[in-house]
Amino acid sequence: MQCDVVVVGGGAAGLSLVWRLLNPPPGVPAPRVTVIDAPPGPLRPPPRTWCYWERGAGAYDPWLSASWRSVRLHAPDGRAVRRDLGGLRYKMLASERFTRELQPWVAGARFVEASVVEIRDRPDGATVFCRGAGGAEERITARWVFDSRPVDPAPPARVGLLQHFKGWFVRTEHPAFTPDAVDLMDFRTLQPPHGLSFGYVLPLNPHEALVEYTEFSAGPLSEEAYDEALAHYTGSLLGLEGFEVRAVEQGRIPMTDASHPRRTGRSVFRIGAAGGAVRPSTGYAFGAIQRQTRAVAALVHANREPLPPAPYPARALAMDRVVLLGLDSGRLSGPDFFTRLFESVPAERLLRFLDGRTRLLEDVGIGLRTPVPTMLRLIAELPFAGRRAR
């Protein structure tokens, strides 16, 4: 089998790229695209929600679960700080809805349900060797291959934590939520010795919300510990009574300064989380995935080498290294650090910073609102932190 482009993985990065490849500018032919997605099972990620922000209307707005103009943070002492997002909107998109609604737009691609065994470079392209659930093997040759599978083993890193969380989609008997604002970080939760924890509330209407307990720490909790933390958060801190848990969401996101090469061969590239789209200090990725896949599709349509662009500028990643080292070592208080930024930096500017879209002077201003002496000591220690497997 031969085609122009092979996309490995049918998640956010894979489907976003396929959609853009198959919808070229006027006068440009669409490439022949094959999508290889793993059979149902452990290699496929479970249903989940993606949150991101953008200015005004976006391509996926008709499919959103909700969007908000304001965000709120609760400091450890219970103080609530609410911020308007200006021209930005914080948006929530369910992966199942995203996949379902994109189907008509990606119907021109050939979909193969198989596990990739090997990707082999060739002088004029690459060959993907894959095996279906029944054991049948297939070779697919393409000019370009874009691989969105998680990198295994994970690349070594100087510093790194795991963002792990569990959330309940709840429905209450009586109105309990204010649908006009997201509780982005609620630091009234019990804090771990290293890292941080917080509650996260995405209200869908006065009766329904996704309520999550999240930690940045060295490793995940037991199921019982997540449920205890959620029970404490919904009961003691939110004061919810008489609610029903309608669905559960759970996940783990590496937060690391590891290097993510976006090219693994002459014609083979990594995209999405595998290509560095996860912001190390926060775990957000969806917005960067959209920028990355938009750029790659434009390069393919222009018949140019489609090397995915770096999702974030080097100076943003440098600050992330310092923050992760501080959280990992316990020398930086996560709740105090994020509360301080949230209180002193306009929310729109802070979100642009998290997307790597602020100017140098804005970055300097944000840096001056952090605990400068602690940050300088952490910067001095970074060169002596050796990379190790995580």
Side-chain angles (χ1 to χ4, degrees), residues 55 68 84 136 182 204 217 220 285 294 296 355:
R55 186 172 300 278
W68 302 270
D84 184 83
V182 170
L204 305 176
S217 59
R294 189 182 299 116
V296 167
D355 252 349

Side-chain angles (χ1 to χ4, degrees), residues 53-328:
W53 49 88
E54 61 184 345
R55 186 172 300 278
Y60 307 131
D61 278 11
W63 312 336
L64 295 176
S65 302
S67 67
W68 302 270
R69 297 172 180 266
S70 301
V71 294
R72 189 166 45 216
L73 179 143
H74 291 269
D77 61 8
R79 184 173 77 260
V81 184
R82 179 167 172 159
R83 291 289 183 263
D84 184 83
L85 295 180
L88 298 180
R89 296 294 180 270
Y90 192 86
K91 302 181 178 184
M92 175 184 180
L93 177 62
S95 62
E96 291 176 300
R97 179 80 185 269
F98 175 80
T99 302
R100 184 173 67 251
E101 298 289 354
L102 268 186
Q103 290 310 306
W105 299 94
V106 299
R110 175 178 179 247
F111 282 80
V112 176
E113 197 171 270
S115 299
V116 171
V117 178
E118 182 186 2
I119 301 176
R120 190 178 300 169
D121 246 339
R122 301 170 57 244
D124 57 349
T127 299
V128 182
F129 298 81
C130 54
R131 183 178 296 114
E137 297 185 353
E138 184 174 356
R139 296 184 183 184
I140 304 171
T141 299
R143 178 67 187 92
W144 307 112
V145 175
F146 300 95
D147 192 352
S148 66
R149 294 173 299 166
V151 179
D152 188 20
R158 294 188 192 91
V159 293
L161 296 169
L162 189 68
Q163 178 180 156
H164 51 99
F165 56 87
K166 186 172 184 177
W168 290 343
F169 287 87
V170 303
R171 178 171 179 81
T172 60
E173 294 179 6
H174 305 290
F177 305 105
T178 53
D180 59 339
V182 170
D183 283 311
L184 201 61
M185 287 181 162
D186 187 339
F187 290 120
R188 294 175 294 170
T189 53
L190 297 174
Q191 296 299 316
H194 297 279
L196 60 90
S197 75
F198 58 89
Y200 179 45
V201 182
L202 295 163
L204 305 176
N205 57 58
H207 291 269
E208 294 179 303
L210 170 59
V211 181
E212 288 191 348
Y213 173 80
T214 300
E215 277 195 16
F216 297 178
S217 59
L221 306 179
S222 66
E223 290 300 314
E224 294 77 11
Y226 284 119
D227 290 338
E228 288 175 6
L230 277 167
H232 175 261
Y233 184 58
T234 54
S236 301
L237 298 178
L238 296 184
L240 300 185
E241 296 179 353
F243 65 88
E244 174 190 2
V245 178
R246 295 196 156 189
V248 176
E249 176 177 274
Q250 196 161 358
R252 304 175 184 178
I253 303 171
M255 304 176 69
T256 169
D257 74 333
S259 176
H260 292 84
R262 302 183 306 282
R263 182 175 210 146
T264 58
R266 286 188 295 270
S267 302
V268 185
F269 307 96
R270 287 188 178 133
I271 58 171
V278 177
R279 182 70 194 262
S281 61
T282 65
Y284 284 105
F286 192 80
I289 285 171
Q290 301 311 306
R291 295 193 298 274
Q292 191 180 65
T293 55
R294 189 182 299 116
V296 167
L299 291 169
V300 172
H301 292 150
N303 200 28
R304 295 169 56 193
E305 182 180 75
L307 175 65
Y312 305 103
R315 66 177 183 271
L317 297 178
M319 181 174 281
D320 285 354
R321 290 189 194 99
V322 178
V323 172
L324 289 177
L325 179 59
L327 295 176
D328 198 13

